[in-house]
């Protein structure tokens, strides 16, 4: 049996998205900047996808810009808000994705003040501490906090953070790479200034993302060149990628509630099975609706089998992740697990689900895990 439980790392491309992409890899090859019919066809496809993205987050189409990935979107917001908006201070958290953390570090190296919020052992932001930081200075501030953590799934209270940002006049950026297409997001209601998304996390293609930039917080381009993306992101557009992202997001939004229920049930099923059958299991982050429904970060006792658990699972045909995909395999400790003070004598393994997974797959994975860690002894009736 082969099982793919690594959907926080990436998801399978939806067949329907591929079908929409194919003509733009073949006969519809026009450059969207060309004014002839070939170009116009490509331009129309991009604008259709932009409308879908804008609709998905309740933005105006003019506020959505396509990029090469979530990483680029996050870099753009952090670096260009300093350059264009005069941001003097960035508040972020120690468990952000590296593309945010390293961008913040780059800005720190340029003399921008950076402050990190405190987080608790579940990865939850200390909102009172965030308020105290916001209150402590009049400097122009960008708050950059992720909507869902990619390793442990902990969710941010977007409403609470945006209210604080509004109260203290700060810009609010949220890295929503793990939540776009999974949760309803309304940038107008929530007064979010910047939001990042990435196609491959919701069954779209890799190498394409988007950034929402509120019209009241317009940035300057991160990549200079031609006038593509209304002068905000130069470079000939990745048309088939954009078309695939649009189609995948449209499907994710249409099916969101049904998919959420299905995946949330899988997660609950796996947790119950692990709780019932393993002698010593705990979890990193929340296992209720304070954590992303697609993700279960399981904490197991360290032994000679769990030490290399991702490799051992792989031998059994199971794809999962230790911490995040970016650190797994490199034997570099996860900054997220370190950030929540996860016990060092235990091994974390992240299982993340999609609508393609089944309970039968979970049964198989749990059986394989039972070969690696102590199992619960059943009480024998006398
Ligand atoms: N932010 C988060 C929370 C992520 O999980 C990821 C991908 O793992 C990224 C950003 C980067 O996105 P991309 O792979 O599109 O560069």
């Amino acid at each position: 049996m082969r099982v793919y439980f690594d959907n926080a790392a990436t998801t399978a491309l939806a067949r329907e998205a591929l079908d929409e992409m194919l003509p733009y890899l073949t006969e519809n090859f026009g450059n969207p900047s060309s004014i002839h019919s070939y170009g116009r066809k490509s331009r129309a496809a991009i604008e259709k996808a932009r409308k879908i993205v804008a609709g998905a987050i309740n933005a105006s189409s003019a506020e959505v810009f396509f990029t090469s990935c979530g990483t680029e979107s996050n870099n753009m917001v952090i670096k260009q808000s300093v350059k264009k908006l005069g941001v003097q201070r960035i508040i972020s958290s120690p468990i952000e994705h590296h593309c945010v953390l390293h961008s913040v570090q780059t800005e720190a190296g340029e003399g921008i003040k950076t402050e990190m919020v405190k987080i608790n052992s579940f990865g939850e932001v200390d909102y009172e501490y965030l308020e105290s930081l916001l209150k402590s200075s009049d400097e122009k501030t960008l708050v950059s906090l992720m909507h869902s953590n990619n390793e442990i799934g902990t969710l941010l209270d977007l409403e609470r953070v945006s209210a604080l940002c509004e109260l203290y006049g700060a810009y609010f950026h949220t890295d929503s790479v793990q939540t776009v297409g999974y949760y309803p997001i309304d940038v107008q209601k929530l007064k979010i200034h910047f939001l990042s998304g990435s196609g491959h996390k919701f069954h779209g293609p890799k190498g394409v993302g988007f950034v929402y930039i509120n019209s009241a917080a317009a940035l300057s381009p991160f990549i200079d060149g031609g006038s593509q993306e209304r002068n905000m992101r130069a470079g000939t557009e990745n048309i088939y990628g954009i078309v695939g992202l649009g189609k995948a997001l449209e499907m994710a939004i249409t099916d969101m509630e049904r998919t959420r229920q299905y995946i949330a049930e899988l997660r609950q099923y796996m947790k119950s099975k692990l709780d019932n059958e393993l002698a010593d299991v705990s979890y990193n982050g929340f296992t209720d609706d304070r954590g992303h429904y697609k993700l279960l970060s399981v904490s197991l006792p360290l032994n000679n089998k769990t030490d290399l658990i991702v490799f051992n699972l792989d031998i059994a045909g199971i794809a999962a992740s230790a911490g995040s995909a970016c650190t797994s395999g490199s034997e570099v400790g996860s900054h997220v697990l370190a950030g929540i003070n996860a016990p060092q004598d235990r091994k974390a393994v992240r299982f993340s689900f999609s609508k393609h997974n089944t309970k039968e797959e979970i049964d198989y994975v749990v059986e394989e895990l039972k070969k690696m860690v102590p199992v619960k002894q059943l009480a024998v009736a006398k």
Side-chain angles (χ1 to χ4, degrees):
M1 196 172 196
R2 289 189 78 213
V3 178
Y4 186 78
F5 277 181
D6 204 11
N7 290 282
T10 196
T11 53
L13 180 64
R15 179 75 229 184
E16 295 85 341
L18 176 64
D19 288 343
E20 292 227 354
M21 291 164 70
L22 284 172
Y24 296 93
L25 283 152
T26 49
E27 65 265 32
N28 300 346
F29 58 84
N31 186 324
S33 297
S34 303
I35 54 167
H36 48 61
S37 64
Y38 290 81
R40 288 200 307 274
K41 195 154 200 155
S42 295
R43 161 74 40 223
I46 292 175
E47 295 317 314
K48 182 179 164 201
R50 198 187 313 281
K51 239 181 159 165
I52 293 170
V53 175
I57 57 171
N58 196 26
S60 114
S61 286
E63 296 171 316
V64 172
F65 303 91
F66 290 110
T67 63
S68 67
C69 56
T71 296
E72 183 188 326
S73 302
N74 285 336
N75 268 263
M76 178 175 179
V77 169
I78 291 163
K79 294 174 180 173
Q80 300 311 109
S81 65
V82 170
K83 279 209 178 78
K84 179 71 178 7
L85 301 174
V87 161
Q88 298 158 300
R89 175 174 72 148
I90 303 171
I91 299 177
S92 191
S93 95
I95 61 168
E96 297 299 303
H97 192 273
H98 275 141
C99 62
V100 166
L101 277 182
H102 293 169
S103 296
V104 171
Q105 278 161 16
T106 299
E107 292 311 308
E110 300 288 317
I112 299 300
K113 188 164 152 189
T114 61
E115 291 181 302
M116 292 288 150
V117 293
K118 288 183 197 155
I119 48 156
N120 67 18
S121 61
F122 290 94
E124 228 177 0
V125 166
D126 181 334
Y127 297 102
E128 272 140 40
Y129 186 70
L130 171 62
E131 178 160 20
S132 73
L133 289 178
L134 284 165
K135 210 185 263 183
S136 69
S137 155
D138 291 335
E139 289 159 305
K140 211 173 245 191
T141 298
L142 172 73
V143 172
S144 180
L145 293 170
M146 67 206 312
H147 188 190
S148 164
N149 186 272
N150 50 303
E151 292 190 34
I152 56 172
T154 304
L155 292 163
L156 185 74
D157 186 341
L158 288 178
E159 223 163 303
R160 193 159 172 187
V161 175
S162 75
L164 286 173
C165 287
E166 199 188 11
L167 185 62
Y168 295 100
Y171 294 109
F172 178 28
H173 166 235
T174 186
D175 171 359
S176 294
V177 164
Q178 293 289 349
T179 52
V180 168
Y182 291 87
Y183 288 90
I185 298 172
D186 184 330
V187 290
Q188 288 192 47
K189 204 167 123 210
L190 289 167
K191 301 203 175 75
I192 292 169
H193 297 95
F194 312 108
L195 178 145
S196 314
S198 177
H200 71 105
K201 305 290 186 183
F202 48 81
H203 302 283
K206 292 164 189 51
V208 60
F210 70 87
V211 58
Y212 158 77
I213 302 175
N214 184 286
S215 55
L219 298 178
S220 50
F222 182 52
I223 293 183
D224 293 316
S227 59
Q228 291 90 352
E229 293 297 284
R230 297 184 312 290
N231 287 312
M232 198 59 96
R233 201 278 183 184
T236 301
E237 297 88 336
N238 172 5
I239 306 158
Y240 42 89
I242 292 170
V243 165
L245 181 152
K247 181 64 188 174
L249 186 55
E250 184 180 59
M251 290 169 62
I253 297 293
T254 307
D255 281 342
M256 188 184 286
E257 192 44 37
R258 198 159 51 98
T259 310
R260 185 192 66 75
Q261 277 180 22
Y262 179 76
I263 300 177
E265 196 181 318
L266 287 180
R267 175 191 189 229
Q268 197 47 46
Y269 179 75
M270 183 160 187
K271 180 182 181 300
S272 304
K273 260 189 101 79
L274 293 173
D275 288 344
N276 291 336
E277 299 184 33
L278 302 188
D280 177 12
V281 60
S282 55
Y283 303 90
N284 301 300
F286 294 111
T287 54
D288 58 18
D289 61 8
R290 290 170 294 175
H292 201 311
Y293 58 83
K294 75 174 172 189
L295 194 156
L296 198 57
S297 176
V298 178
S299 171
L300 297 169
L302 188 60
N303 62 33
N304 62 350
K305 295 213 177 89
T306 57
D307 194 22
L308 293 173
I309 191 160
V310 171
F311 297 99
N312 287 328
L313 287 170
D314 189 33
I315 289 167
I318 301 160
S321 208
S324 78
C326 316
T327 50
S328 63
S330 61
E331 284 306 314
V332 176
S334 149
H335 69 285
V336 176
L337 296 173
I340 60 166
N341 281 321
Q344 299 203 339
D345 58 346
R346 296 183 71 82
K347 191 75 189 181
V349 55
R350 178 187 74 180
F351 296 105
S352 46
F353 313 107
S354 82
K355 59 184 176 185
H356 301 309
N357 293 129
T358 62
K359 288 187 179 167
E360 290 68 40
E361 290 177 331
I362 291 174
D363 292 342
Y364 173 69
V365 172
V366 173
E367 285 313 308
E368 290 302 315
L369 287 174
K370 282 162 75 177
K371 297 176 187 166
M372 300 182 198
V373 291
V375 296
K376 261 192 187 151
Q377 301 300 321
L378 289 176
V380 182
K382 287 200 176 145

